[in-house]
Amino acid sequence: MSKVIIIGGGAAGMMAGVFAARNHHEVHILEKNEKLGKKVFITGKGRCNVTNACDTEELFPAMMSNPKFLYSSFYSFTPQDVMEFFEKAGVPLKVERGNRVFPQSDHSSDIIRALERELKKAGAKIHLHTAVQEIVKKPVTESVTESVTDSVNTLESEAALTESGSAAGKGRKGKKSPDIPQEKITGVILTDGTFMEGDAVIVATGGFSYQSTGSTGDGYRFARELGLKVTDIAPSLVPLKTKEDYVPKLQGLSLKNTGLTIKNGKKVLYEDFGEMMFTHFGVTGPMILSASAHIGAKLAKAPNGELSAYLDLKPALTREQLDARILREFEAGPNKQFKNVIGVLFPSSLTPVMLELGGIPAEKKIHDISREERQHFIDLIKAFPFTITGMGEFKEAIITRGGVSVKEINPGTMESKKISGLYFAGEVLDLDAVTGGYNLQIAWSTAYLAAQAIQ
């Protein structure tokens, strides 16, 4: 049995705590907030998109960073395993559009309470209002290092003999392998100066998004202080800022079943179909948030820092079908003014903007509208334009892109390659995905793997 210290009581920290405690380790979760799961509470607009009910292999295309690193994690604790875990913990689940999984109650608090119950049942100890100042390590004794190195070299030699029939590993014995940790964890120092001894530490501090929930980048500082590389971080899954003055006029308008295309010049960077909403500064919604994960770096490199975007307001209709629909409306009222006919095609708040951009005078009689004018108006419906000028900030970001470099971490255990007993799980790592429950799946899977790896 080991004494396991988990820094952070969010999704990854709680899940790691459950499985480490079930494995009969002495588990201490250190959470600086007044309660566990503050960020989990607000995810999915308070409903908590627990995971995505896709097949495991379908998770990888949804990953924006380092998908190959997650192979062991995802196959060790699959979306189906996650669903079974929560169902057994007393949370009935439901699957919605896009395979998004939610509690039947639509309350994220049910997910948090289930994890708290499982932690208590397994015997984990929870320390609230407890912040960590420093993770403490010490050199591994020479005898231990040599013992581990000898074992590894023996395995390497046996593998080499198996593969080639010759002693390819001969002569390596006694040399320090770069993959053998030269240091090990001894515990943590709390902000009040208390030293808490531990055999293993799991860093599950989250990223740098939603800082009001406690995600203030502590894990990145711990990693750097311990000599691990941290990649540049940036907000991801954020609203997008736009240029046009007509966008704020549409504030609050939500559109479902809408097509989105984002271009850099003539090059298509991203295409999607789904739900979005106009805001006072730009656009947001599930489709937009996922787009932000794809275009963040490309926006920064774009000419003038701008990208062109277009909405297909009627994606279910071809141009020909849409033209036929408009002609039917025209034929029903040939003497009516244009503004009094097109209202049936759009939400009321969108109609004035369509009139503004459509190139047809609002008072023009239907029978006076030319075919060219009608085709131009169809162009607008199929490609409603706006210009993306910026991304939302960390305070608006659902997740963080970047983090502790996965090159520092063993993908089969989530343990540091350099420091024995040091593990990382969840958003603190350089791992992120699009919306749809995928980011929580990263948290659950990496936490599970770290907990199971501790001896």
Side-chain angles (χ1 to χ4, degrees), residues 222-261:
F222 296 147
R224 290 190 184 100
E225 289 174 351
L226 293 166
L228 276 62
K229 181 184 177 184
V230 178
T231 65
D232 292 338
I233 62 170
S236 190
L237 300 185
V238 287
L240 299 175
K241 298 175 182 178
T242 57
K243 182 180 191 176
E244 289 75 14
D245 58 5
Y246 54 79
V247 170
K249 296 177 185 177
L250 299 169
Q251 179 180 351
L253 172 63
S254 291
L255 298 176
K256 296 181 179 180
N257 303 321
T258 305
L260 171 68
T261 301

Side-chain angles (χ1 to χ4, degrees), residues 303-345:
N304 304 317
E306 296 180 349
L307 295 174
S308 300
Y310 304 90
L311 294 175
D312 186 344
L313 301 174
K314 300 290 181 182
L317 300 177
T318 64
R319 287 185 60 88
E320 292 74 19
Q321 290 169 330
L322 181 56
D323 192 22
R325 168 76 195 282
I326 292 173
L327 280 171
R328 283 199 302 272
E329 297 297 335
F330 281 11
E331 289 166 0
N335 295 315
K336 291 182 178 180
Q337 293 181 330
F338 181 58
K339 66 180 180 181
N340 295 327
V341 173
I342 66 159
V344 298
L345 297 173

Side-chain angles (χ1 to χ4, degrees), residues 102-358:
F102 294 92
Q104 282 186 14
S105 64
D106 285 330
H107 293 145
S108 57
S109 55
D110 288 353
I111 296 296
I112 299 167
R113 280 197 291 265
L115 287 163
E116 288 175 332
R117 285 195 302 271
E118 294 303 311
L119 285 166
K120 185 176 181 179
K121 192 188 303 182
K125 297 176 176 65
I126 298 167
H127 306 258
L128 301 176
H129 300 288
T130 304
V132 174
Q133 180 61 38
E134 180 184 350
I135 299 174
V136 183
K137 62 181 180 176
K138 73 174 184 180
V140 177
T141 59
E142 192 68 23
S143 59
V144 172
T145 302
E146 288 178 355
S147 175
V148 175
T149 304
D150 288 352
S151 298
V152 170
N153 284 333
T154 299
L155 290 171
E156 287 178 347
S157 297
E158 289 173 352
L161 280 166
T162 302
E163 290 177 11
S164 65
S166 61
K170 191 175 181 180
R172 292 167 56 89
K173 189 173 180 179
K175 291 184 181 180
K176 291 183 180 180
S177 165
D179 292 331
I180 301 301
Q182 302 301 309
E183 296 175 301
K184 68 176 183 179
I185 289 299
T186 59
V188 300
I189 298 175
L190 307 181
T191 51
D192 66 3
T194 303
F195 174 70
M196 179 181 283
E197 187 177 6
D199 302 301
V201 170
I202 300 177
V203 180
T205 51
F208 201 59
S209 56
Y210 284 137
Q211 293 166 37
S212 61
T213 65
S215 299
T216 51
D218 295 346
Y220 308 140
R221 176 173 62 82
F222 296 147
R224 290 190 184 100
E225 289 174 351
L226 293 166
L228 276 62
K229 181 184 177 184
V230 178
T231 65
D232 292 338
I233 62 170
S236 190
L237 300 185
V238 287
L240 299 175
K241 298 175 182 178
T242 57
K243 182 180 191 176
E244 289 75 14
D245 58 5
Y246 54 79
V247 170
K249 296 177 185 177
L250 299 169
Q251 179 180 351
L253 172 63
S254 291
L255 298 176
K256 296 181 179 180
N257 303 321
T258 305
L260 171 68
T261 301
I262 299 175
K263 295 181 177 182
N264 185 358
K266 293 183 178 180
K267 183 179 180 182
V268 174
L269 301 179
Y270 183 74
E271 290 182 298
D272 201 0
F273 174 85
E275 184 177 348
M276 56 83 62
M277 184 176 76
F278 293 96
T279 69
H280 66 285
F281 60 82
V283 288
T284 189
M287 178 171 68
I288 300 298
L289 299 179
S290 289
S292 75
H294 287 268
I295 68 164
K298 294 166 184 172
L299 178 61
K301 298 176 183 177
N304 304 317
E306 296 180 349
L307 295 174
S308 300
Y310 304 90
L311 294 175
D312 186 344
L313 301 174
K314 300 290 181 182
L317 300 177
T318 64
R319 287 185 60 88
E320 292 74 19
Q321 290 169 330
L322 181 56
D323 192 22
R325 168 76 195 282
I326 292 173
L327 280 171
R328 283 199 302 272
E329 297 297 335
F330 281 11
E331 289 166 0
N335 295 315
K336 291 182 178 180
Q337 293 181 330
F338 181 58
K339 66 180 180 181
N340 295 327
V341 173
I342 66 159
V344 298
L345 297 173
F346 313 107
S348 58
S349 58
L350 181 56
T351 301
V353 174
M354 296 301 289
L355 286 169
E356 177 185 338
L357 302 179

Side-chain angles (χ1 to χ4, degrees), residues 48 70 88 173 175 346 386 391 444 446:
C48 189
L70 286 160
K88 285 184 175 179
K173 189 173 180 179
K175 291 184 181 180
F346 313 107
F386 58 92
M391 310 270 287
W444 310 134
T446 55

Side-chain angles (χ1 to χ4, degrees), residues 367-379:
H367 60 69
D368 291 331
I369 296 174
S370 68
R371 182 181 183 280
E372 289 72 21
E373 287 175 315
R374 193 177 75 247
Q375 293 302 315
H376 178 73
F377 193 69
I378 290 171
D379 290 341

